[in-house]
Amino acid sequence: MAKKQFKAESKRLLDLMINSIYTHKEIFLREIISNASDACDKLCYLALTDDSVGLDRKDFQIRLRVDKDARLITVSDNGIGMDKADLENNLGVIASSGSYKFKQEVGEDAGDTDVIGQFGVGFYSAFMVADHITVITKKFGSDTAYKWQSSGADGYTITECEKDTVGTDILMHVKEDSEEEKYSEFLESWRLQELVRKYSDYIRFPIRMDVSRTRVKEGSPEDKPEYETYVQEETLNSMVPIWQRSKSSVTTEEYNKFYRDKFHDYQDPQRVISVSAEGAVTYKALLFVPGATPYDYYTKDFEMGLQLYSSGVLIMDKCADLLPEHFRFVRGVVDSPDLSLNISRELLQHDRQLKVIATNLEKKIKADLLKMLRDDREAYETFWKNFGRQIKYGTVAEFGKNRELLQDLLLFYSSTEKKMVTLGEYVERMGEEQKYIYFAAGESLDKIDKLPQMEALQEKGAEVLYFTEEVDEFCAQIIHAYQDKEFRSVLDQEIEDGDAKRSEEAESAHRAAFDFVKETLGDAVKEVKASARLKSHPVCLTAGEHLSFEMEKYLNVVQPDAAIRADRILELNVEHPAFAALENAVTADPEKAKTYARLLYSQALLIAGLPLEDPSAYTDLVCELMK
């Protein structure tokens, strides 16, 4: 029996297959089972027009057997089989794919037939774990069976043999263990079952295997039961993925169980989004919004992405390209027969199809979130507690590229409504005379409530949005205006047209006192001005239009060496007794007036939540006044 040689380029490709193309050796079982599925699909397709096949779709199966002693893994199918010419063309020439040729010939007439192998290299992935492979096959319509054998790059033999039924058996002799690799793991029944469920769970033909189970021996005493091992044939794969079923045929309980099992979450998902699309790219998707924030969500360890399938075969466990960063919390699966996979079926050759799918999914997710916001406000607020910060981050990311997409999803706490509101709801309530969307930033709702700048607005009943997260002001800055209404900070900017004029008039009337305070504080403040908004409080500190104090705090945390500093504008209430005491001291006791000026500035820093430049000096000032 003469051994035939692979072509020179095939030898090089085989070496590449074994050592470079596949990332994980466990992929071999996925490839062999996928080829078996293709063989069943081909004969199943033929049976539609040829009654002599004598099989319906329900009759096709793939069998998996393992013999630890002989170190053999066998994958068998009752598909179309191969003759000698097929063996020469498909297994003798690496990268020649019978499945691809079949797909080209059948074209659109294939109906629901989904051949998977299109490169003709998947079979050779078995050499990553096997040192010898035997293929025993008999083609439908042929009376002769053939045996193909190879130990790798040294060539192969083809001989006639006996086989009673149509189909193919692939026998893989597993390599001996080495210091670097433990090939024996693939001889464990549980490991093979695990790989089938991971990669081939949705192959549309049953994958069956004899599995050892343990039970209480019949007739054994209850207090000291005896056990026996028995073997039963089990179907390892679920075959029809839940996302291929019509939404009306799947119960909420089934969706929830699938989510919990698939994504190892103890809690049911909050939302289920089912997508079926045909067009430039045909695909189905089943997406879930988790019911709780994953413990590692806001850490560098969290991996985003959807599970990507091609015709029911897992290609990537977490395909990040299918989700935008602002919806990174979504989990789920995408299945498409149209993907341009690379030779290892682990990655895509190019991402045109992914971009189309990702764009469509982004629209679907946003539409579903808006529907929840509109129809089930309580549920949306729960979602917002879990993932609202992510939506805010998405709004400001990439210089606001997605602000128009996301701004309608934002929620902020309202001072008058005492609950979370949308920007649209705020604008609807605005009076005709109100030009701006007012906001105030601070560490908490309670601290914002007590800020001196809020007092006048609270008396008027003006609605103010409270920003309590560091990203909030960046959102306002990036969005800039919503429905032509600009954002304005009530803490750092004048909010009424007459404020500036009233402030100037008060300063003019008390010019000597204001000049004295500015001279005393020097570069510590950019400006000292009269306040038109303070009521019962003597002083407040504002930062102007460009950088707020909350932004200053945040930026100094993320860039500790930058020493970022917002402008400090000291506002004094000329109607407060403390100002009168200061003004009197300017002429009567200038040294005491300096003490008053420094004390008021320190108080303004404390109210704004900013650190005192010299805490010891502040305590000395207080003690001096107590003498």
Side-chain angles (χ1 to χ4, degrees):
M1 176 177 57
K3 181 176 287 189
K4 298 186 178 184
Q5 296 297 311
F6 292 113
K7 292 183 178 180
E9 60 273 19
S10 291
K11 283 186 177 181
R12 289 193 294 272
L13 184 54
L14 182 58
D15 180 68
L16 189 64
M17 288 286 307
I18 296 172
N19 297 304
S20 302
I21 288 181
Y22 290 96
T23 308
H24 305 293
K25 288 181 168 56
E26 65 184 32
I27 293 294
F28 84 95
L29 191 63
R30 179 192 76 178
E31 297 298 302
I32 298 300
I33 288 176
S34 295
N35 288 343
S37 174
D38 288 350
C40 291
D41 250 326
K42 292 170 189 175
L43 190 54
C44 187
Y45 176 76
L46 186 60
L48 298 175
T49 56
D50 189 342
D51 293 337
S52 66
V53 173
L55 297 172
D56 295 325
R57 174 170 283 276
K58 62 180 175 57
D59 299 319
F60 291 95
Q61 65 172 326
I62 300 166
R63 284 193 55 81
L64 180 59
R65 294 187 296 276
V66 60
D67 185 334
K68 290 180 70 172
D69 295 334
R71 298 188 73 81
L72 277 180
I73 300 172
T74 303
V75 177
S76 303
D77 67 71
N78 59 342
I80 198 162
M82 291 178 281
D83 57 19
K84 187 174 183 180
D86 293 328
L87 288 170
E88 290 279 8
N89 293 330
N90 296 341
L91 303 189
V93 180
I94 300 176
S96 173
S97 170
S99 293
Y100 180 75
K101 293 171 186 173
F102 171 79
K103 192 170 186 177
Q104 295 293 97
E105 291 168 3
V106 171
E108 296 180 357
D109 297 328
D112 64 350
T113 297
D114 264 336
V115 293
I116 304 164
Q118 297 181 39
F119 292 99
V121 298
F123 169 81
Y124 298 94
S125 66
F127 280 110
M128 291 190 295
V129 300
D131 52 19
H132 186 83
I133 298 176
T134 300
V135 179
I136 298 173
T137 184
K138 184 178 183 180
K139 189 169 185 175
F140 173 77
S142 173
D143 295 326
T144 308
Y146 292 93
K147 179 187 291 186
W148 181 97
Q149 291 182 286
S150 175
S151 296
D154 64 335
Y156 62 94
T157 61
I158 299 177
T159 57
E160 291 187 13
C161 67
E162 296 296 322
K163 191 178 190 308
D164 296 332
T165 58
V166 169
T168 301
D169 302 329
I170 298 178
L171 294 80
M172 294 161 278
H173 185 270
V174 176
K175 298 175 183 179
E176 297 292 338
D177 292 342
S178 65
E179 290 185 7
E180 296 79 20
E181 299 287 350
K182 303 300 179 187
Y183 297 102
S184 294
E185 68 169 295
F186 299 115
L187 294 170
E188 298 292 340
S189 175
W190 65 266
R191 181 72 168 114
L192 297 180
Q193 294 173 57
E194 181 182 73
L195 294 180
V196 168
R197 293 191 180 101
K198 179 177 181 180
Y199 291 106
S200 308
D201 196 34
Y202 307 117
I203 291 289
R204 294 186 302 169
F205 302 101
I207 303 169
R208 296 185 171 127
M209 183 179 187
D210 288 339
V211 178
S212 295
R213 299 294 183 205
T214 302
R215 64 188 171 195
V216 176
K217 194 173 183 180
E218 189 175 345
S220 66
E222 291 185 9
D223 57 339
K224 291 184 179 180
E226 297 177 12
Y227 297 91
E228 63 181 358
T229 300
Y230 66 101
V231 175
Q232 68 177 28
E233 184 183 77
E234 294 184 4
T235 298
L236 306 181
N237 59 322
S238 57
M239 289 179 282
V240 179
I242 194 170
W243 60 81
Q244 293 288 1
R245 295 161 56 187
S246 65
K247 191 172 183 179
S248 59
S249 70
V250 184
T251 66
T252 300
E253 290 72 20
E254 287 177 307
Y255 277 135
N256 290 347
K257 185 178 185 305
F258 173 83
Y259 169 78
R260 292 194 308 269
D261 294 346
K262 192 75 171 174
F263 301 103
H264 311 294
D265 197 343
Y266 67 91
Q267 192 164 325
D268 290 339
Q270 187 177 19
R271 299 288 287 185
V272 179
I273 307 170
S274 181
V275 183
S276 180
E278 294 183 1
V281 180
T282 297
Y283 68 93
K284 290 183 184 294
L286 186 59
L287 310 179
F288 301 92
V289 176
T293 313
Y295 72 94
D296 63 344
Y297 184 71
Y298 289 107
T299 73
K300 63 180 181 180
D301 297 326
F302 182 83
E303 289 185 76
M304 63 176 276
L306 302 177
Q307 288 191 341
L308 179 63
Y309 288 80
S310 179
S311 301
V313 177
L314 179 63
I315 304 302
M316 295 178 69
D317 189 49
K318 285 192 172 121
C319 183
D321 291 340
L322 286 170
L323 283 177
E325 182 71 19
H326 43 272
F327 292 151
R328 70 199 296 260
F329 50 83
V330 174
R331 291 171 167 171
V333 298
V334 172
D335 191 351
S336 173
D338 295 341
L339 302 176
S340 299
L341 304 178
N342 74 347
I343 196 169
S344 70
R345 272 208 298 253
E346 292 178 291
L347 301 170
L348 281 79
Q349 289 179 304
H350 52 81
D351 61 358
R352 181 186 63 82
Q353 298 105 324
L354 279 193
K355 286 181 178 177
V356 171
I357 295 172
T359 299
N360 290 341
L361 292 182
E362 182 182 49
K363 293 176 182 176
K364 291 284 187 182
I365 295 167
K366 180 192 173 181
D368 190 79
L369 293 176
L370 284 175
K371 185 177 186 298
M372 177 166 49
L373 174 60
R374 182 178 64 249
D375 299 341
D376 192 345
R377 185 57 170 260
E378 184 178 350
Y380 188 82
E381 290 186 11
T382 297
F383 157 77
W384 189 255
K385 288 178 183 176
N386 291 333
F387 302 110
R389 191 187 306 173
Q390 185 64 54
I391 303 297
K392 293 176 185 176
Y393 287 156
T395 304
V396 303
E398 298 182 74
F399 302 102
K401 171 186 172 184
N402 298 296
R403 63 181 179 273
E404 290 187 11
L405 175 83
L406 300 174
Q407 61 187 8
D408 289 326
L409 297 172
L410 297 170
L411 291 183
F412 298 103
Y413 183 84
S414 162
S415 64
T416 55
E417 303 302 303
K418 305 300 180 185
K419 63 180 182 180
M420 304 297 282
V421 301
T422 67
L423 296 178
E425 290 164 346
Y426 180 98
V427 170
E428 281 181 13
R429 288 189 291 269
M430 286 175 63
E432 290 184 8
E433 74 287 351
Q434 185 175 333
K435 296 180 180 180
Y436 304 104
I437 298 173
Y438 300 143
F439 71 87
E443 294 179 10
S444 68
L445 301 180
D446 186 56
K447 287 187 177 181
I448 295 174
D449 261 335
K450 294 175 180 177
L451 289 171
Q453 296 96 318
M454 291 294 298
E455 196 171 15
L457 290 164
Q458 288 164 342
E459 285 183 4
K460 295 176 183 177
E463 183 174 5
V464 180
L465 298 179
Y466 285 9
F467 289 179
T468 55
E469 292 189 313
E470 70 274 0
V471 69
D472 290 347
E473 283 191 276
F474 293 100
C475 282
Q477 200 172 67
I478 285 291
I479 297 172
H480 181 63
Y482 181 84
Q483 294 184 14
D484 297 324
K485 300 292 185 180
E486 291 184 16
F487 286 86
R488 175 153 288 198
S489 170
V490 301
L491 305 185
D492 301 319
Q493 295 162 273
E494 306 286 359
I495 62 171
E496 294 183 2
D497 292 336
D499 283 352
K501 184 177 181 182
R502 287 194 295 274
S503 177
E504 290 173 6
E505 289 173 351
E507 286 172 43
S508 179
H510 305 276
R511 174 57 55 196
F514 281 98
D515 288 346
F516 180 89
V517 173
K518 177 64 176 84
E519 184 179 350
T520 300
L521 298 178
D523 293 337
V525 295
K526 179 181 180 182
E527 183 182 351
V528 180
K529 60 186 289 189
S531 176
R533 51 187 162 178
L534 291 176
K535 293 294 182 180
S536 63
H537 295 273
V539 67
C540 71
L541 202 64
T542 58
E545 298 182 15
H546 303 295
L547 183 68
S548 72
F549 295 136
E550 293 305 311
M551 285 185 175
E552 174 190 310
K553 295 173 195 174
Y554 171 71
L555 293 173
N556 281 317
V557 169
V558 297
Q559 302 178 55
D561 297 329
I564 295 169
R565 192 176 190 273
D567 291 336
R568 279 144 170 72
I569 300 171
L570 186 67
E571 291 191 23
L572 298 174
N573 182 359
V574 298
E575 297 178 1
H576 196 279
F579 181 81
L582 167 70
E583 191 170 37
N584 290 334
V586 167
T587 53
D589 189 346
E591 287 303 315
K592 181 173 281 191
K594 289 180 182 179
T595 299
Y596 287 157
R598 295 187 185 107
L599 185 64
L600 287 170
Y601 175 58
S602 295
Q603 289 176 336
L605 286 170
L606 290 172
I607 293 170
L610 295 168
L612 295 175
E613 294 169 6
D614 189 345
S616 295
Y618 171 72
T619 58
D620 290 342
L621 285 175
V622 174
C623 291
E624 185 177 337
L625 292 173
M626 293 174 66
K627 289 179 181 178

